[in-house]
Amino acid sequence: MSDTNARLAEIVNSNDVVLFMKGTPLFPQCGFSSRAVAILERLGVPFEGVDVLQDMEIRQGIKAFSDWPTIPQLYVKGEFVGGSDIMMEMYEAGELQQLVADAGIAPQG
């Protein structure tokens, strides 16, 4: 396993919900990342935002790690969920809420 993959595995496995994104949760740097943050904020779950713009190894490595070509990328309990379009579809269908609940992640009030 490469150093980058080891770093990615550590990030993904040490946080219940991780969003690899462009920018930060407070200052998303693209519309897709902004939408992904908004969805997670509506769910009310705590999540770790990882700014891929700050680290080119992470930016390129996450695409190979997940076998998914675009950013943002959402992981829940170590499992890749998808990008912002998939997040939106799942949220609108109630599936993302169910996924988070099934993972035992409680919304924060």
Side-chain angles (χ1 to χ4, degrees):
M1 181 182 284
S2 74
D3 289 346
T4 302
N5 274 357
R7 286 174 59 205
L8 290 165
E10 172 66 25
I11 293 166
V12 165
N13 293 321
S14 62
N15 297 282
D16 286 343
V17 181
V18 181
L19 182 65
F20 290 89
M21 59 181 294
K22 294 178 181 175
T24 65
L26 288 176
F27 297 104
Q29 298 294 311
C30 80
F32 296 110
S33 291
S34 181
R35 180 165 48 166
V37 168
I39 292 167
L40 291 173
E41 287 177 345
R42 281 194 203 114
L43 290 177
V45 295
F47 69 96
E48 181 69 25
V50 178
D51 183 358
V52 300
L53 299 177
Q54 298 299 315
D55 188 327
M56 287 309 294
E57 285 183 9
I58 294 289
R59 184 176 186 174
Q60 293 308 313
I62 193 62
K63 295 174 185 180
F65 186 81
S66 63
D67 197 25
W68 190 260
T70 59
I71 307 288
Q73 294 186 13
L74 177 67
Y75 286 80
V76 175
K77 290 283 189 175
E79 296 294 321
F80 176 64
V81 176
S84 64
D85 290 347
I86 290 171
M87 289 173 67
M88 182 60 87
E89 290 171 15
M90 289 178 70
Y91 179 78
E92 289 174 346
E95 296 168 2
L96 195 55
Q97 297 87 323
Q98 191 62 51
L99 177 74
V100 168
D102 289 350
I105 304 166
Q108 291 182 324

